[in-house]
Amino acid sequence: MPTPTASTGSTQPEPTPASPRSQNDLWMEKAKAHLLQNYKQQPITLVRGKGTRLWDADGKEYLDLLGGIATCALGHCHPEVVAAAKAQLDTLWHVSNVYYSEPSIDLAAQLTALSGLPRAFFCNSGAEANEALIKLSRKVMKDRGSPERFEIITFENSFHGRTLATVTATGQPKYQKGFEPLPAGFVHVPYGDLEAVRKAVGPSTAAILVEPIQGEGGVRVAPPGFLKALRELCDERGMLLLVDEVQTGIGRTGKPFAFQHDGILPDAISLAKALGNGLPIGAMLCSEETSKSLTSGTHGSTFGGNLVSATAANVVLRYIRDPQMLREVQEKGEYFISRGRELQARLPTIIKDVRGRGLLMGIELNQDAAPVIARCREQGLLVNSAGEKTVRFAPAYIVTREELDEGLRILERVLTPA
Ligand SMILES: *Cc1c(COP(=O)(O)O)cnc(C)c1O
C-alpha cells in the first residue's frame, strides 16, 4: 500500500510514535498542498474496493451506496470486468481513431442495438458527449438550410457538464458564475413545464436537451408524459430531441436507457457514467439522418473509443442486456423507495420526500444534506448530495435489499434526534 510523502518521493514517511497520525490525515495534508481546491472532498482516501464495499487508507470499511457517482454499475472490481480489462491491457491499449479497433466496433454494435439509435460516437466523459449533442444539433440545422436555428432549450436545475458550452446548457447559475461571457444559444425553462417550453420555442430554436431524471439537480423524475410531449413538440416544429442519459443510461433506471420508459425515440442521446464501470468513456448515439451531418473531419476525440475502456463497457452491456438484471434494478429501487417512505413516516418533520426510479434515488430533507452525509460517512455509509437538501443513492446494480436496509438504518440513526 503506498503512503503519502511530503513531496514527489515514494518512500514511506515514518509516523513518529509520539504523534500517531492517521494515513487518511497524512494523505489529506498532501492533497491540500498539491491538488486544485475545486472540490468539497470528504476527509478520507479510499484505497480498495470490492462490490459495494470500500476501504480507506486506515482500513475502515464502508458500505458504498453512491457507486462512484453512478459509475460503478457492476460494483467495484467486478471480476469479469477486471479480467477483460486486464487481458486487453496485455494486448493493446490505444491506437487513436486513425484506425479501427475491435472493442469500440463491438461496443457501437451493442449500444445501437439496445437503443434503436443506429450511430455511435465515442469520447471520454459526459460533458464531451453533450458537446457532441450540441455540435450535432447546430450542424444538422445548417445542413437543413436553417443556419438561424442554433438555440437549444434546456431546463432550470439541470446538469449537463462543466465545459463552457455544457455549463451554459446547465440550468444552474451557480456553476456559471465568474465564467462569463458564456457561449450564446441556450435558453432555460422550468423542468416539467410544457407550456413554458412551447413559449420558449422560436425561429432560432434547434433542439431541446433534457434529462429523464434530473440527477445532480436533486433526483427529480420528469412528470409522466413529459418526454413524450417534448418528442411531439420537436416533431411538430422540426427540432431535435436530445436526451442526456449520462446518469440515467446503461440500466440505471431498470431499462437500458431511461427514455425507453416513455415509449419514445430521441434524435440523439449522451452516455457516460455507468458505461465503463468506472473507466472513463462517453458516447453519443444518434439517428441515421442526423448522423449524416457529422461527416469526416467535423468532430473527433483522440482518446475516444480507447480499447481498455471500450472492453470494460462491452462487459457492462452484456449484463445490461439481461432482462433479469434490469428487473432486479427496478425492483430493488422500488423496495428502497417503499422502505424510505416508511422512514419518512417515522421522521415526518425531517424527511420531506423520497423519490427516484430504478437505482437512482433521492431522500430530500428539510435541512442541509452536507452534515448528514458527513455523519453517515463516520458511521460507515457513503452517499452524497444532489442539490442542497437531497441525499443521493446510486449504488451498484448488484446491491442487495439487505444492504439497502443497512444504508437506511444508518441514515435513520443519523437523522433521529438524540
Ligand atoms: C455527470 C453528468 C454530466 C457530466 O459528466 P462528466 O463526465 O462529469 O463530464 C452530464 N450530464 C449529466 C446528466 C450528468 O449526471
Side-chain angles (χ1 to χ4, degrees):
M1 196 81 46
T3 304
T5 60
S7 63
T8 54
S10 61
T11 50
Q12 186 135 344
E14 290 295 328
T16 57
S19 60
R21 314 241 319 283
S22 83
Q23 294 297 309
N24 278 318
D25 288 349
L26 289 170
W27 277 113
M28 196 165 64
E29 224 166 81
K30 187 170 181 180
K32 291 209 157 139
H34 301 294
L35 282 178
L36 190 73
Q37 295 296 296
N38 59 318
Y39 298 112
K40 257 192 232 126
Q41 286 172 294
Q42 300 284 317
I44 53 171
T45 296
L46 296 166
V47 297
R48 192 161 62 85
K50 191 89 202 125
T52 53
R53 302 285 160 173
L54 284 167
W55 288 267
D56 73 15
D58 290 316
K60 179 174 163 142
E61 182 180 321
Y62 299 88
L63 170 62
D64 179 18
L65 295 188
L66 182 60
I69 314 193
T71 59
C72 299
L74 304 180
H76 299 289
C77 299
H78 185 280
E80 263 184 72
V81 183
V82 170
K86 275 185 179 165
Q88 189 59 54
L89 279 170
D90 282 336
T91 309
L92 188 63
W93 292 27
H94 193 64
V95 295
S96 89
N97 290 297
V98 173
Y99 310 98
Y100 292 113
S101 58
E102 294 166 338
S104 61
I105 298 169
D106 279 338
L107 185 57
Q110 290 208 76
L111 284 171
T112 53
L114 267 177
S115 66
L117 291 164
R119 297 277 165 190
F121 164 77
F122 295 113
C123 51
N124 313 284
S125 69
E128 249 184 290
N130 284 331
E131 286 275 349
L133 291 181
I134 295 164
K135 287 179 72 175
L136 176 79
S137 63
R138 288 188 177 190
K139 188 69 165 47
V140 165
M141 292 305 154
K142 298 265 186 322
D143 292 347
R144 286 183 185 173
S146 308
E148 73 288 356
R149 300 183 75 167
F150 63 90
E151 229 165 54
I152 299 178
I153 297 173
T154 71
F155 294 90
E156 290 170 9
N157 221 28
S158 62
F159 186 83
H160 299 295
R162 303 289 202 144
T163 64
L164 214 41
T166 58
V167 88
T168 308
T170 292
Q172 302 192 53
K174 68 174 178 190
Y175 291 125
Q176 299 162 349
K177 203 165 162 274
F179 299 113
E180 303 83 355
L182 299 171
F186 296 92
V187 177
H188 304 103
V189 299
Y191 190 56
D193 185 342
L194 189 63
E195 242 350 272
V197 181
R198 282 187 184 282
K199 282 201 194 107
V201 176
S204 56
T205 314
I208 297 172
L209 172 61
V210 64
E211 294 163 274
I213 300 173
Q214 288 191 329
E216 305 297 312
V219 192
R220 291 168 202 284
V221 185
F226 186 56
L227 259 54
K228 192 156 204 169
L230 293 182
R231 176 70 275 176
E232 285 163 11
L233 183 58
C234 284
D235 290 342
E236 235 169 74
R237 309 293 295 263
M239 305 180 296
L240 302 186
L241 179 62
L242 313 173
V243 178
D244 182 340
E245 292 260 9
V246 169
Q247 190 153 170
T248 53
I250 318 296
R252 173 63 53 191
T253 67
K255 295 227 184 246
F257 308 98
F259 73 77
Q260 293 170 330
H261 291 286
D262 297 78
I264 60 153
L265 188 63
D267 295 285
I269 68 172
S270 53
L271 298 169
K273 287 192 167 81
L275 182 55
N277 208 54
L279 284 180
I281 181 168
M284 178 191 71
L285 308 179
C286 65
S287 68
E288 189 64 34
E289 190 253 322
T290 61
S291 78
K292 292 195 161 53
S293 284
L294 293 183
T295 50
S296 170
T298 54
H299 194 52
S301 160
T302 298
F303 280 121
N306 172 274
L307 282 82
V308 183
S309 298
T311 295
N314 275 316
V315 178
V316 172
L317 287 191
R318 270 213 314 278
Y319 277 83
I320 298 316
R321 288 206 318 250
D322 174 7
Q324 178 58 27
M325 175 87 173
L326 293 175
R327 203 155 38 239
E328 276 283 297
V329 167
Q330 191 163 328
E331 285 172 9
K332 286 187 281 199
E334 285 163 7
Y335 177 80
F336 180 93
I337 299 282
S338 75
R339 296 309 293 258
R341 296 216 165 116
E342 287 167 29
L343 178 58
Q344 183 186 10
R346 291 197 291 281
L347 300 171
T349 57
I350 296 170
I351 295 178
K352 187 174 174 196
D353 192 23
V354 178
R355 55 180 179 251
R357 183 169 231 174
L359 286 172
L360 180 57
M361 301 89 71
I363 296 188
E364 188 178 353
L365 308 176
N366 282 315
Q367 65 189 83
D368 235 25
V372 172
I373 281 152
R375 270 178 285 142
C376 284
R377 186 200 69 248
E378 287 161 13
Q379 308 245 348
L381 169 66
L382 299 184
V383 285
N384 86 335
S385 61
E388 303 271 282
K389 296 183 174 175
T390 302
V391 181
R392 170 175 37 188
F393 299 79
Y397 307 164
I398 55 155
V399 73
T400 63
R401 285 167 178 75
E402 292 69 33
E403 288 171 324
L404 294 174
D405 281 333
E406 184 185 340
L408 285 170
R409 259 199 314 278
I410 294 173
L411 182 65
E412 176 161 21
R413 206 183 311 142
V414 163
L415 288 177
T416 303

